[in-house]
């Protein structure tokens, strides 16, 4: 059947079909037609129909000879759970999932939520601390199969003798001073320490700026304050991650100078450490030493130096010149730039106001030429450059271009500055009072798992606060209320500023009958303590004569 | 046999043009390698294998100078050290080696020079030294890749960081710190109970769905059942063949064979303990006349 139908199509294609061809076509198809009709006509002759069917089946088999067997599907361990969780999503009517335990223990305001989440984490940390420091009480293993993450981990040093193994153990346990002492003892006893271990030791000391890692986390008792908002929030954040400054001639430098033969990795450790701990001039002097010893730097050294460049020069032009010089040297030494390189360039460009705009576009095109995909941090820096003041903000529409390029894309965190992008973008939308762009940004946040890139609690609250302000300013009351129900209190706790803008929105659209609802939420979230908010509310209510049903008088 | 080779040679001389580059490769590789005295093939399994075989037989013809000597002993099966009979597998291996030698040359540069010298020393002891050297280097290169891949995989036990951050060398403290910093930036809290269960499953705290009774017993799955049950072979050494001790040990073995909770190694350890015990108590048993060796 198949060959004859092929011939039929060929005849159809050939325009100059002679009568003979046509006649043959009809002859053949006529035969086929009669063959097709006959089975239905002669239903009684079963044998013949079945053989006909068989021939047809064989012909079908020949045509489908290459049956493609589907490959066996392998599902990941969590496939079932992921499918289920995609049906559940987020519950917008309740507080955040991690607080859903006891209704009494649900946080009603943002400071309370921070306090409660810190309490949860500190509980887990305390449990882990006890298990690790007293492993002899936790020897019996009930679980089948074995759960390694619940077992006590070694935190104390076991090897006591002076040897390289002991040094490696101390390095892996991140004990800075113990490792330095062990290294000094090894040197005094004359043992040769391998380059690998020396590199690791230098990395350790430079990373922690010669302090023990445990000192970075301050005890939380001093930070517990009553649930009131204070303007010291920024100070508190700084205290949570104290930044050490690089001391002159600390252990890292001492060990570094004692080394007979320093290679790129040693320099890399020191330069990265000095830049991380704000000793910028020292970093550059180390770099000149590296160049004098005719070594090639690696990409990490260049990344760190680019970050340090704006701090060692005063004028914008000089800063850019220094960065350009670094980049040409990078090219000469054939070091491949990474995403972090470009992000650091843009970050440093933010400090070179006048030159920034033109150069940043050049940088973006270079990035694409090298083949790197820009991350959210890149776009964040670009936005910071272009929308620096409200004056410059009016002259550009780069946010729109960026958003249209990023539409529907999923992101992962590749740079710690990625988390600032959404807040910056939303702030710009608020400044230029563009609601549509705001909705675009929110749509981007809701794609897949992008909401995870809103950062920690404070950062995501900042984002939603700005978004809510924009809505109250620009959107009509129904939209505002819809988003209000969507965001509060699962993603965003009302604060005084948001409440004020909400009052304004209600006032603009004269929906003051919704005020009792808002008052109920205010009371539950503790905002009724702010007397100025209560006064605003009462002013709105008392300003005009409301209809009896609103005011509750019969 | 040899006339066959010659015939092959003759018929293939026309086709040699195509495969001349393969030949030149093989001639450059100095092999004082084996002559196929007997090419143990009946008919090639597929066209490609036949070609392989023929090409390899060409190679050997060209590289050897022992043609006249071996023609006098076509059926000799005397195993001599140098001219060994070459089988089909080694033939195809030689072919494979001929083709991949360029890549193994490159491999040599990336491997540690000590490793390479050790490999060449080891290979020199074998008769097919160059072939063995190439194989060894290839294997070492594969092993290196495997260990590097394992090292990369072991670093990122942080769940939510994108593991596309590749490290060219074993990850340094800076890399680990960077990855941890990224993990703190991302908000990885679960939004509903099912996401929490996903986190627990990735941690290893929860059973995996669909529930598999044998989760966590993957190593046991590789141990064949007869090693658990037929433990008599461990009684062959160190225990007497008759007497109460043997009887006792047979009962122990029967009990162990029915034990589903111990691993094979643990069962062997039990039997070893008994062996040591009875060896120590040999004097007591001899006094009681029960220890028959």
């Amino acid at each position: 059947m198949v060959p004859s139908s092929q011939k039929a199509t060929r005849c159809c294609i050939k325009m100059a079909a002679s009568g003979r061809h046509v006649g043959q076509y009809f002859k053949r198809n006529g035969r086929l037609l009669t063959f097709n009709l006959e089975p239905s006509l002669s239903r009684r002759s079963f044998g013949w129909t079945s053989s006909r069917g068989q021939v047809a089946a064989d012909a079908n088999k020949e045509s489908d000879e290459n049956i493609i067997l589907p490959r066996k599907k392998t599902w990941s361990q969590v496939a079932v759970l992921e499918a289920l969780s995609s049906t559940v999503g987020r519950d917008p009517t309740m507080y955040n999932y991690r607080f859903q335990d006891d209704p009494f223990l649900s946080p009603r305001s943002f400071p309370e939520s921070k306090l409660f989440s810190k309490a949860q984490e500190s509980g887990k940390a305390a449990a882990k601390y006890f298990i690790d420091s007293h492993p002899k009480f936790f020897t019996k293993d009930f679980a089948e199969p074995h759960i390694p993450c619940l077992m006590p981990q070694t935190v104390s040093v076991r090897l006591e003798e002076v040897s390289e193994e002991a040094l490696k153990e101390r390095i892996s346990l991140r004990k800075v001073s113990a490792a330095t002492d062990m290294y000094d003892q090894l040197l005094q006893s004359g043992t040769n320490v391998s380059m690998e271990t020396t590199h690791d030791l230098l990395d350790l000391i430079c990373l922690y700026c010669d302090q023990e890692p445990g000192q970075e986390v301050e005890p939380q008792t001093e930070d517990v304050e009553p649930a009131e908002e204070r303007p010291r929030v920024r100070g508190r954040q700084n205290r949570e991650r104290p930044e050490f400054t690089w001391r002159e001639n600390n252990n890292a430098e001492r060990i570094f100078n004692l080394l007979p033969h320093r290679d790129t990795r040693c320099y890399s450790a020191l330069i990265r450490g000095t830049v991380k701990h704000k000793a910028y001039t020292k970093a550059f002097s180390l770099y000149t030493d590296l160049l004098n010893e005719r070594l090639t730097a690696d990409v990490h050294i260049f990344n760190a130096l680019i970050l340090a460049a704006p701090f060692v020069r005063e004028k914008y032009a000089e800063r850019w010149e220094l960065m350009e010089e670094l980049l040409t040297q990078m090219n000469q030494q054939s070091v491949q730039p990474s995403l972090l390189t470009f992000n650091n360039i843009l970050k440093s460009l933010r400090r070179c106001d006048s030159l920034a705009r033109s150069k940043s576009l050049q940088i973006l095109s270079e990035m694409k030429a090298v083949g790197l995909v820009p991350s959210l941090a890149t776009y964040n820096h670009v936005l910071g450059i272009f929308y620096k003041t409200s004056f410059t903000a009016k002259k550009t529409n780069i946010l729109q271009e960026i958003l249209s390029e990023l539409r529907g894309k999923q992101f992962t965190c590749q740079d710690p500055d990625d988390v600032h992008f959404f807040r910056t973008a939303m702030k710009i939308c608020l400044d230029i009072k563009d609601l549509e762009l705001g909705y675009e940004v929110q749509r981007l946040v809701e794609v897949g798992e992008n909401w995870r890139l809103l950062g920690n609690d404070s950062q995501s609250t900042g984002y939603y606060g700005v978004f809510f302000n924009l809505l109250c300013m620009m959107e009509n009351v129904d939209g505002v209320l819809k988003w209000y129900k969507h965001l509060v209190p699962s993603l965003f706790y009302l604060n005084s500023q948001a409440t004020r803008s909400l009052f304004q929105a209600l006032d603009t659209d004269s929906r003051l009958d919704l005020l009792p609802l808002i008052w109920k939420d205010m009371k539950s979230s503790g905002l009724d303590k702010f007397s100025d908010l209560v006064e605003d509310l009462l002013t709105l209510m008392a300003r005009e004569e409301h209809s009896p049903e609103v005011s509750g008088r019969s | 046999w040899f006339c066959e080779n010659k015939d092959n040679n003759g018929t293939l001389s026309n086709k040699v043009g195509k495969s001349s580059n393969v030949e030149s490769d093989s001639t450059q590789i100095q092999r004082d390698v084996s002559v196929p005295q007997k090419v143990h093939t009946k008919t090639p399994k597929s066209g490609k294998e036949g070609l392989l075989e023929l090409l390899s037989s060409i190679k050997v013809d060209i590289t050897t100078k022992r043609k006249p000597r071996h023609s006098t002993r076509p059926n000799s099966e005397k195993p001599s050290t140098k001219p060994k009979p070459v089988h089909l597998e080694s033939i195809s291996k030689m072919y494979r080696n001929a083709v991949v030698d360029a890549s193994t040359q490159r491999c040599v540069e990336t491997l540690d020079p000590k490793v390479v010298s050790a490999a060449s020393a080891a290979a020199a002891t074998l008769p097919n030294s160059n072939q063995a050297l190439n194989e060894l280097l290839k294997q070492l290169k594969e092993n290196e890749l495997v260990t590097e891949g394992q090292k990369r995989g072991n670093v990122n036990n942080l769940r939510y960081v994108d593991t596309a951050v590749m490290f060219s060398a074993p990850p340094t403290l800076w890399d680990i710190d960077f990855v941890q910093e990224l993990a703190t930036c991302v908000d990885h809290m679960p939004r509903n109970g099912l996401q929490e269960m996903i986190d627990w499953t990735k941690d290893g705290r929860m059973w995996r769905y669909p529930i598999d009774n044998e989760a966590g017993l993957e190593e046991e799955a590789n141990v064949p059942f007869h090693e658990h049950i037929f433990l008599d072979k461990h009684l062959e050494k160190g225990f007497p063949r008759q007497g109460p001790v043997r009887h006792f040990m047979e009962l122990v073995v029967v009990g162990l064979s029915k034990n589903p909770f111990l691993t094979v190694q643990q069962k062997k350890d039990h039997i070893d303990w008994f062996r040591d015990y009875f060896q120590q108590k040999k004097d007591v048993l001899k006094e009681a006349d029960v220890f028959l060796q």
Side-chain angles (χ1 to χ4, degrees), chain A residues 77 81-82 85 88-90 97-98 144 147 174 203 207 265 269 272 412-413 415-416 451-452 455 491, chain B residues 162 172-174 176-178 181-182 185-189 191-194 196 198 201 204 207-209:
Chain A
Q77 288 178 5
L81 290 170
E82 276 176 1
S85 97
V88 175
R90 171 179 77 88
Y97 177 71
R98 61 182 187 264
E144 271 185 46
I147 301 178
R174 311 270 181 111
D203 280 345
L207 184 65
R265 250 197 81 181
R272 284 169 95 170
T412 50
C413 189
D415 185 328
W451 58 269
R452 291 192 193 272
L491 289 173
Chain B
D162 184 15
T172 64
L173 273 171
W174 293 100
I176 299 175
D177 184 62
F178 180 66
E181 202 182 335
L182 285 184
C185 285
V186 180
D187 175 17
H188 55 270
M189 300 310 287
R191 269 189 164 172
N192 54 43
L194 294 159
E196 202 177 23
I198 292 176
T201 313
W207 283 72
R208 301 190 274 275
Y209 293 109

Side-chain angles (χ1 to χ4, degrees), chain A residues 456-500:
Chain A
N456 59 18
D457 286 343
S458 328
Q459 287 160 340
S460 65
T461 306
Y463 167 79
Y464 284 117
V466 175
F467 181 48
F468 194 68
N469 276 343
L470 179 65
L471 283 174
C472 292
M473 216 190 308
M474 308 289 297
E475 177 76 280
N476 61 6
V477 166
D478 296 325
V480 169
L481 281 178
K482 181 181 83 115
W483 280 102
Y484 178 78
K485 287 195 181 60
H486 190 71
L487 295 177
V488 178
S490 54
L491 289 173
F492 168 63
Y493 288 99
L494 268 188
N495 52 19
S496 40
Q497 193 190 2
T499 327
R500 271 195 207 102

